[in-house]
Amino acid sequence: MLSATPLRPDAEGFFGPYGGQHLPPHLKAIMDEIGNAYLSIRDTSDYRDELADLYAHYVGRPSPIYLARRLTAHSGGARIWLKREDLNHTGAHKINHCLGEALLARHMGKTKVLAETGAGQHGVALATACALVGLPCEIHMGAIDIAKEHPNVTKMKILGAKVVSVERGTRTLKDAVDSAFDEYLRDPQNFFYAIGSVVGPHPFPMMVADFQSIVGREAREQFPKQAGKLPDVVAACVGGGSNAMGIFSGFLADPGVRLVGVEPSGVGRDVGKHAATLSYGKPGTLHGFHSYLLQEMAEGQPDPVYSIASGLDYPGVGPQHAYLKDSGRAEYYAVDDAGCLDAFMTLSRTEGIIPALESAHAVAWAMQNAAALGKDADILVNLSGRGDKDADFVADKLGL
Ligand SMILES: *Cc1c(COP(=O)(O)O)cnc(C)c1O
């Protein structure tokens, strides 16, 4: 029987059958070292106080919860509330875990922090955290993405990160992962590979979920004060699953609160252009962990994925989400590009809040389900990031 509230994995990093460390022994040893270092400082007051201080005075936490009245009226049903992670320094939830990872890397005496980035969001958040703690940072990014996402590349450079242009393969995210990982393997003892979501081998899904749990803890405390009750539904977009895990964690122990993860169905499953892993995938192993995987084209091989929101573009998903899906504690649905764009524009024009295209998927689910849930219901949406980065793209796409 699966427990409904798996807050932490077992000692081997498993959430039921999912997670673990599917790695060669020498890398497993390094991951265990990171896990042990993390467990040894996680509950020390020095580490907790430093992180809490940065959350409060650097990130600007707690982020507010806001009742979107005009969006609610427009959607014609349940009240829609937003957890405003878009108001964090750097404009999204990613700074929450990048700070935790950078502090851990510094504690372990690492000499360089490495990561890949797709659209550059993880790269910018990590470069920010590394500038703050004074650690060298190296970001691998596909040459195609570098050309497309110029503002983020510029930001990373200003923040002092080395940006490596990846020229192999399709010159996009997947190749950037391979390239960054090759560099990491040159000296895993001294380098720290900062994973950007609740994915990868143990201990990363556990650590990143811990760092993001601040979102859920705040929301669990804030919401009843403002609404007089708990939300009926908590919704969040799911790429790797970190912002969703963050807000879900605050409500896992409240059986009356539905947890809804929203994946991108892109331009449709029938044409194979989506990234809805939990909706359409099945169990498989990728990047050192076992979870759901999109593998419709060839068993065991990740499918090419697509979403209008590049931050949701991943063929796997965090193992804790796989567990929450199988146990029935969380539900996962897909929203397509058109629904996402509609939510992007509607939230902008009813509330004056331009959401990230990633977050707009969760807003779209709330808009599409508000009427059926009814006027007495409350939906809390994690607004994972702001949409400045997407403004030009959307304006172009819609001919504004
Ligand atoms: C990266 C990103 C996501 C997707 O990552 P998760 O780990 O699924 O949260 C969602 N929203 C924004 C704004 C992002 O930058």
Side-chain angles (χ1 to χ4, degrees):
M1 181 54 198
L2 297 173
S3 143
T5 55
L7 265 172
R8 293 255 164 78
D10 69 15
E12 264 73 57
F14 283 97
F15 300 90
Y18 304 113
Q21 296 171 320
H22 296 261
L23 296 170
H26 70 288
L27 279 181
K28 207 173 161 315
I30 301 249
M31 290 302 139
D32 286 340
E33 226 175 87
I34 295 172
N36 291 335
Y38 172 65
L39 292 176
S40 76
I41 60 167
R42 180 176 72 188
D43 299 319
T44 62
S45 52
D46 278 1
Y47 184 74
R48 292 176 77 100
D49 291 351
E50 183 167 14
L51 198 54
D53 181 68
L54 290 175
Y55 282 164
H57 304 117
Y58 184 75
V59 179
R61 308 204 65 90
S63 65
I65 283 181
Y66 167 74
L67 172 57
R69 289 186 181 80
R70 275 172 38 81
L71 181 69
T72 295
H74 179 272
S75 307
R79 281 176 293 271
I80 301 174
W81 306 71
L82 307 173
K83 176 67 170 159
R84 299 289 311 275
E85 290 299 295
D86 61 314
L87 295 178
N88 295 340
H89 176 48
T90 68
H93 69 290
K94 285 194 174 76
I95 192 72
N96 299 329
H97 62 248
C98 285
L99 286 175
E101 290 181 315
L103 291 186
L104 179 61
R106 190 190 63 191
H107 168 80
M108 294 183 75
K110 301 285 185 180
T111 56
K112 180 162 85 176
V113 176
L114 269 161
E116 80 288 344
T117 194
Q121 296 304 110
H122 178 49
V124 170
L126 194 63
T128 301
C130 286
L132 178 73
V133 305
L135 270 175
C137 179
E138 181 175 309
I139 304 292
H140 291 236
M141 191 169 179
I144 302 256
D145 292 330
I146 286 185
K148 255 174 41 188
E149 308 288 346
H150 217 264
N152 277 341
V153 178
T154 308
K155 280 188 209 165
M156 285 184 264
K157 288 182 180 162
I158 289 174
L159 290 161
K162 178 177 167 194
V163 180
V164 175
S165 174
V166 177
E167 308 287 347
R168 63 171 93 173
T170 58
R171 299 185 292 158
T172 57
L173 179 61
K174 185 182 165 297
D175 310 290
V177 175
D178 295 342
S179 166
F181 205 66
D182 284 353
E183 173 62 15
Y184 176 62
L185 290 182
R186 288 200 319 112
D187 191 359
Q189 206 63 53
N190 288 306
F191 296 168
F192 187 93
Y193 196 113
I195 291 177
S197 186
V198 286
V199 298
H202 179 65
F204 281 92
M206 171 185 77
M207 292 196 310
V208 172
D210 278 357
F211 298 141
Q212 289 297 343
S213 68
I214 182 73
V215 179
R217 278 200 305 281
E218 286 174 6
R220 182 63 179 74
E221 200 185 309
Q222 292 166 314
F223 197 88
K225 286 186 187 153
Q226 289 176 243
K229 66 190 254 281
L230 286 171
D232 299 277
V233 183
V234 171
C237 65
V238 176
S242 66
N243 87 88
M245 225 34 259
I247 197 154
F248 286 4
S249 64
F251 300 91
L252 273 176
D254 297 305
V257 179
R258 284 175 62 193
L259 305 176
V260 168
V262 185
E263 299 188 309
S265 54
V267 292
R269 185 187 191 187
D270 44 336
V271 291
K273 284 189 78 175
H274 66 85
T277 309
L278 289 161
S279 304
Y280 307 138
K282 56 186 176 163
T285 301
L286 177 71
H287 295 153
F289 69 108
H290 190 66
S291 183
Y292 278 63
L293 175 65
L294 283 171
Q295 45 185 334
E296 297 197 292
M297 311 217 333
E299 189 82 16
Q301 287 299 314
D303 292 336
V305 284
Y306 160 84
S307 166
I308 193 173
S310 48
L312 302 182
D313 225 343
Y314 185 62
V317 67
Q320 197 167 5
H321 285 290
Y323 184 92
L324 289 172
K325 175 185 164 82
D326 285 6
S327 71
R329 180 62 190 94
E331 309 153 52
Y332 296 87
Y333 302 98
V335 159
D336 65 11
D337 283 4
C340 165
L341 278 173
D342 178 48
F344 181 97
M345 292 307 299
T346 305
L347 182 61
S348 298
R349 292 186 174 182
T350 56
E351 300 288 350
I353 297 172
I354 304 176
L357 282 170
E358 290 82 6
S359 326
H361 285 77
V363 175
W365 186 90
M367 289 168 55
Q368 291 167 8
N369 290 273
L373 287 164
K375 286 194 188 299
D376 292 333
D378 291 281
I379 309 173
L380 173 60
V381 174
N382 198 16
L383 199 72
S384 55
R386 66 178 185 230
D388 310 37
K389 65 185 180 62
D390 302 311
D392 286 342
F393 171 82
V394 172
D396 240 27
K397 178 117 187 144
L398 300 180
L400 300 181

